[in-house]
C-alpha cells in the first residue's frame, strides 16, 4: 500500500506545517503529486495506526468496488439483485486495475464512484407522467473530484460538450471551491503546486514503463524513446479532438434532446473516461478501474462474448509478465508491444465499435436503458 503511505505523509505534512511537495516516502521515493485540497482530505489518515489504516483502505476499496458495480448497473440499465452483486464484486476484485488499486491503497475507485454518482443523479418524479429533473447541485461532485486528482476535469468538458451547461458550470464552481479552500488553508503549497508542480509530469513517474497504459506510454515503448514528443502529443490531440467531435454531434441527436434532464448517457460517459486515460501523459494501470462500467455496458447491450474477452484482457496482466526491470521496457521487441499496452489498444479499438452513441454508429436512435423521458417510464 505504497500510495496509502504517500497519502498519510501528505496528511502529516499538513498537520505539522511541513513542506507538502518536498518529501518522498517508501523505497521508491514517492512524492506528493495531488493538489493541496487532496492533502487536506488526507489529514484523517494520520489519526489511525498504520495497520488499522491499511485495513481501512482494504475494506473501503472492497466496498467501493461493490458500489462502483451498483452505479455502473444503474448507468447502463442493468438490474442486479444483492446475491448477484456480491458475486460480481468478488469477480471484479480480480480485474487488474481494481486489484492494483487495492494493493497500492489508491483512491481510484472512490473517484470513479463520486463521478458516476453525480452524473447519474436525478430528482424523483413529482407526478407519474412528468420528466425527472436534475438533482440540485448536480456536477459539483465532479468538480470536487477534479480538485482531488485533476484528471476528472475532462468530465467538466464532457458536460459542456453534451450541452449540460448548468451542470458544467456547477462542476467548475466545485473545482474552483477546492482550489480556493486549498489556497486559504495552504497558501504556500498552493502557490508551489499551481505555478510549478502541476507542470512536472516526470514527478509522477517514468512515462515509458509498462505500468503506464496511456498513449504516451504505448508510443514511447513502440518508438524505444523515453520522450516521444510530437510522436505522442499529436495522436493525443487527435484522439481528444475526435472524442470532442463525437460528443458534440450527439447534442444534435434525438437521444440528446430527449435525455437533457435524465441520467447520463453511458456511451458518452465511457467515451470521456477512456479518452482521459488515453490522452493523459501517465495513466497507471490502476487508473483503468473504468473497465467496470465498460463491462456493465457490454453486458447491458447484449455483447456477452465481447464482455468476456474484455474481462479476460483486464485480468490477464500481460504487461507484468514482460521484462520490465531498469529500462527493459524500452527494448521490447515488436511482438511484445501488444502485450505491453493492452489497455490503450483496447480503448482505441472499442471507441468506434462500442462507445460512440448509437446514432453515430449507424444504429437506430434509442435512449439508454437507464434514461427516462415523458413517454418512457421504468
Amino acid at each position: 500500500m505504497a500510495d496509502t503511505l504517500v497519502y498519510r505523509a501528505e496528511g502529516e505534512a499538513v498537520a505539522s506545517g511541513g513542506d507538502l511537495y518536498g518529501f518522498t516516502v517508501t523505497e521508491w521515493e514517492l512524492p506528493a503529486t495531488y493538489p493541496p485540497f487532496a492533502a487536506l482530505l488526507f489529514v484523517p489518515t494520520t489519526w489511525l495506526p498504520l495497520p488499522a489504516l491499511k485495513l481501512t483502505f482494504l475494506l473501503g476499496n472492497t466496498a467501493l468496488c461493490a458500489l462502483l458495480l451498483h452505479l455502473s448497473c444503474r448507468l447502463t440499465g442493468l438490474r442486479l439483485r444483492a446475491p448477484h452483486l456480491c458475486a460480481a464484486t468478488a469477480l471484479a476484485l480480480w480485474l487488474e486495475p481494481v486489484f492494483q488499486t487495492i494493493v497500492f491503497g489508491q483512491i481510484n475507485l472512490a473517484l470513479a464512484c463520486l463521478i458516476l454518482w453525480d452524473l447519474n443523479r436525478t430528482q424523483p418524479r413529482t407526478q407519474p407522467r412528468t420528466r425527472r429533473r436534475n438533482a440540485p447541485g448536480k456536477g459539483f461532485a465532479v468538480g470536487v473530484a477534479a480538485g482531488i486528482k485533476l484528471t476528472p476535469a475532462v468530465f467538466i468538458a464532457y458536460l459542456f460538450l453534451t450541452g449540460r451547461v448548468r451542470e458544467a458550470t456547477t462542476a467548475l464552481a466545485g473545482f474552483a471551491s477546492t482550489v480556493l479552500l486549498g489556497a486559504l488553508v495552504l497558501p504556500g503549497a498552493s502557490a508551489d503546486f499551481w505555478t510549478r508542480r502541476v507542470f512536472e509530469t516526470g514527478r509522477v513517474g517514468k512515462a515509458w514503463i509498462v505500468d503506464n497504459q496511456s498513449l504516451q506510454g504505448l508510443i514511447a515503448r513502440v518508438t524505444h524513446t523515453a520522450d516521444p514528443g510530437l510522436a505522442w502529443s499529436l495522436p493525443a490531440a487527435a484522439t481528444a479532438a475526435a472524442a470532442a467531435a463525437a460528443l458534440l454531434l450527439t447534442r444534435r441527436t434525438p437521444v440528446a434532446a430527449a435525455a437533457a434532464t435524465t441520467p447520463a448517457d453511458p456511451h458518452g460517459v465511457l467515451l470521456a473516461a477512456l479518452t482521459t486515460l488515453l490522452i493523459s501523459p501517465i495513466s497507471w494501470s490502476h487508473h483503468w478501474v473504468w473497465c467496470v462500467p465498460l463491462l456493465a455496458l457490454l453486458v447491458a447491450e447484449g455483447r456477452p462474448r465481447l464482455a468476456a474477452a474484455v474481462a479476460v484482457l483486464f485480468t490477464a496482466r500481460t504487461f507484468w509478465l514482460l521484462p520490465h526491470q531498469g529500462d527493459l521496457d524500452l527494448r521490447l521487441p515488436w511482438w511484445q508491444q501488444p502485450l505491453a499496452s493492452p489497455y490503450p489498444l483496447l480503448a482505441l479499438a472499442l471507441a468506434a465499435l462500442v462507445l460512440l452513441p448509437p446514432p453515430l454508429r449507424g444504429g437506430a436512435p434509442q435512449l439508454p436503458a437507464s434514461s427516462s423521458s415523458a413517454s418512457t417510464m421504468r
Side-chain angles (χ1 to χ4, degrees):
M1 292 193 174
D3 288 318
T4 298
L5 299 180
V6 177
Y7 302 153
R8 184 183 178 89
E10 290 186 43
E12 289 176 345
V14 172
S16 64
D19 185 357
L20 180 57
Y21 299 105
F23 69 80
T24 58
V25 293
T26 78
E27 61 184 285
W28 301 281
E29 299 183 350
L30 301 175
T33 58
Y34 296 173
F37 173 72
L40 296 177
L41 300 182
F42 295 145
V43 170
T45 63
T46 64
W47 301 345
L48 294 175
L50 188 56
L53 178 63
K54 290 185 176 183
L55 180 61
T56 300
F57 266 80
L58 171 63
L59 298 178
N61 271 326
T62 302
L64 286 169
C65 181
L67 178 59
L68 182 59
L69 267 168
H70 169 72
L71 294 171
S72 300
C73 291
R74 184 182 176 197
L75 176 73
T76 58
L78 280 176
R79 298 181 183 274
L80 280 184
R81 296 181 178 179
H84 298 152
L85 179 64
C86 291
T89 301
L91 294 175
L93 291 174
W94 291 100
L95 296 169
E96 191 270 347
V98 176
F99 188 84
Q100 291 297 101
T101 290
I102 294 174
V103 168
F104 288 132
Q106 257 283 347
I107 60 171
N108 305 303
L109 289 167
L111 291 177
C113 287
L114 186 62
I115 292 167
L116 280 190
W117 168 78
D118 195 17
L119 291 178
N120 219 41
R121 286 195 299 141
T122 57
Q123 284 183 319
R125 296 187 187 90
T126 56
Q127 297 178 4
R129 292 187 178 275
T130 59
R131 281 188 182 183
R132 290 181 175 177
R133 298 182 179 275
N134 286 337
K138 184 175 181 179
F140 193 85
V142 170
V144 171
I148 296 173
K149 205 171 179 178
L150 293 185
T151 48
V154 173
F155 287 97
I156 302 178
Y158 157 77
L159 292 172
F160 274 116
L161 290 169
T162 53
R164 301 170 186 263
V165 178
R166 178 176 295 181
E167 298 171 35
T169 53
T170 303
L172 280 177
F175 176 69
S177 298
T178 67
V179 176
L180 179 60
L181 181 59
L184 290 174
V185 180
L186 300 169
S190 294
D192 185 19
F193 180 82
W194 294 110
T195 62
R196 178 185 172 193
R197 305 297 183 178
V198 70
F199 304 107
E200 296 178 351
T201 305
R203 180 181 177 85
V204 181
K206 298 180 179 66
W208 43 267
I209 59 179
V210 292
D211 313 43
N212 183 20
Q213 291 291 299
S214 71
L215 271 180
Q216 180 172 220
L218 182 156
I219 293 171
R221 290 186 290 271
V222 167
T223 59
H224 307 291
T225 176
D227 183 12
L230 289 177
W232 160 68
S233 58
L234 291 180
T239 301
L247 292 173
L248 278 172
L249 286 172
T250 62
R251 295 179 62 173
R252 305 177 183 274
T253 67
V255 173
T261 56
T262 60
D265 167 35
H267 300 92
V269 171
L270 281 168
L271 184 60
L274 296 192
T275 299
T276 303
L277 293 166
L278 284 171
I279 67 175
S280 295
I282 290 181
S283 293
W284 302 130
S285 67
H286 52 78
H287 292 169
W288 287 77
V289 292
W290 289 93
C291 63
V292 174
L294 173 61
L295 288 168
L297 177 63
L298 295 177
V299 173
E301 292 196 332
R303 301 171 182 262
R305 293 182 180 178
L306 182 57
V310 171
V312 168
L313 183 143
F314 276 105
T315 309
R317 297 159 166 77
T318 55
F319 47 89
W320 294 121
L321 302 177
L322 299 175
H324 55 271
Q325 291 78 22
D327 64 348
L328 293 180
D329 316 59
L330 285 176
R331 304 179 189 178
L332 298 175
W334 66 268
W335 61 272
Q336 290 183 346
Q337 294 296 338
L339 301 177
S341 307
Y343 299 171
L345 292 175
L346 175 73
L348 291 171
L350 289 183
L353 178 64
V354 174
L355 297 184
L356 288 183
L360 301 184
R361 286 186 271 132
Q366 296 177 350
L367 286 174
S370 60
S371 298
S372 306
S373 67
S375 60
T376 303
M377 293 183 292
R378 297 170 71 176

